[in-house]
Amino acid sequence: MVRRAPSQSVPTLSRPASPAGDDMEEGPYFDSVDELQQHGINVQDIVKLKSASINTVSGVNMTTRRQMLKIKGMSEAKVEKIKEAAHKILGSSFATGLEVQEKRKRVLVVSTGSKAVDTALGGGVMSQSITEVYGEFRTGKTQLAHTMSVVAQLPPDMGGASGKVAYIDTEGTFRPDRIRSIADRFGVDGNMALENILYARAHNSEHQMELINECSIRFAEDKDFRLLVPHILT
């Protein structure tokens, strides 16, 4: 079965959304936490934020003051200064309905490779949201993860998002040969498809979270990532 969480308003990846959004101005969805330096935050404090896996200005906005005070070397005065700087960069959290509509045009829709599943999801897996796939053993979850790792690299007119994929494997079931086979199906060079997949093997739940935090750093630095596949959440 497939279940999708509601879309989030957090700014994400930089790419025209879909064929309908081709006329939109292209711009970064992530404001790197390094931008805080331009607003009076010193490098040492920015490094401390990164050590706590806060890699974007939006991440600062979403982290509570209580959580930030738990970061070694952070005082109440520093936290307030960082929060104020983040607010200056991001502006008001409120937006008009029209502004929200414009932001929604940036949502990418990635095909699952199955018309039936795409229909059930309203067109495919959407960015700025979390889609959860669950089911019994041998129901196609791993195949779907492999397929989407290739499809996400395709251009929008083929159901893709023209980007890279991060794949975190908790069961050791990732198979390059399967990626090559799926790439052949879509007329994509197998080596290129594999080159665009960033793979890591997670050995336990703690390691998995560390890898997800590392992905947040990579996604903030490399705007070409479009999909994160944590297979399977533990």
Side-chain angles (χ1 to χ4, degrees):
M1 297 182 69
V2 181
R3 181 171 62 197
R4 183 169 62 221
S7 295
Q8 305 297 315
S9 60
V10 180
T12 52
L13 301 167
S14 170
R15 182 75 72 178
S18 64
D22 287 343
D23 59 342
M24 285 199 64
E25 180 181 351
E26 186 172 347
Y29 284 77
F30 285 124
D31 289 312
S32 172
V33 74
D34 292 323
E35 292 190 25
L36 291 172
Q37 191 176 355
Q38 300 176 17
H39 293 265
I41 307 302
N42 63 54
V43 175
Q44 290 79 9
D45 288 336
I46 292 174
V47 171
K48 292 172 186 175
L49 292 174
K50 290 182 177 180
S51 70
S53 301
I54 303 174
N55 301 296
T56 65
V57 179
S58 295
V60 172
N61 201 36
M62 291 185 289
T63 304
T64 65
R65 288 171 172 79
R66 178 177 296 182
Q67 288 175 306
M68 290 180 66
L69 283 171
K70 293 179 181 179
I71 301 173
K72 186 176 180 180
M74 283 292 178
S75 64
E76 290 187 8
K78 285 185 177 181
V79 169
E80 284 303 321
K81 187 175 181 180
I82 291 171
K83 283 285 188 178
E84 289 175 7
H87 181 72
K88 288 179 181 178
I89 295 172
L90 297 175
S92 174
S93 297
F94 285 97
T96 67
L98 283 175
E99 289 171 334
V100 174
Q101 183 181 43
E102 288 302 304
K103 288 182 179 180
R104 290 294 300 169
K105 290 180 180 180
R106 296 182 181 273
V107 173
L108 302 167
V109 181
V110 182
S111 172
T112 63
S114 166
K115 291 183 179 180
V117 177
D118 285 349
T119 299
L121 289 173
V125 172
M126 296 185 183
S127 66
Q128 304 184 40
S129 64
I130 298 173
T131 301
E132 180 182 5
V133 179
Y134 61 97
E136 297 181 358
F137 180 65
R138 298 185 68 84
T139 53
K141 300 185 298 297
T142 301
Q143 180 64 25
L144 178 62
H146 281 69
T147 299
M148 293 206 63
S149 294
V150 175
V151 175
Q153 303 178 39
L154 301 176
D157 60 358
M158 294 181 66
S162 300
K164 299 178 182 178
V165 177
Y167 193 114
I168 299 175
D169 185 4
T170 64
E171 297 187 327
T173 54
F174 179 80
R175 297 292 181 271
D177 288 346
R178 292 174 77 171
I179 294 294
R180 290 182 181 278
S181 177
I182 296 167
D184 287 343
R185 167 188 166 192
F186 290 101
V188 176
D189 178 78
N191 287 335
M192 183 176 295
L194 289 168
E195 181 67 25
N196 286 326
I197 298 173
L198 184 68
Y199 172 85
R201 175 76 161 90
H203 299 287
N204 52 58
S205 58
E206 183 177 334
H207 187 210
Q208 185 178 43
M209 286 307 303
E210 290 174 355
L211 292 171
I212 290 175
N213 287 335
E214 183 179 339
C215 279
S216 73
I217 299 174
R218 290 178 179 269
F219 280 35
E221 294 176 347
D222 187 342
K223 304 298 190 294
D224 288 333
F225 279 99
R226 296 293 177 270
L227 180 69
L228 170 61
V229 182
H231 183 67
I232 294 172
L233 284 173
T234 57

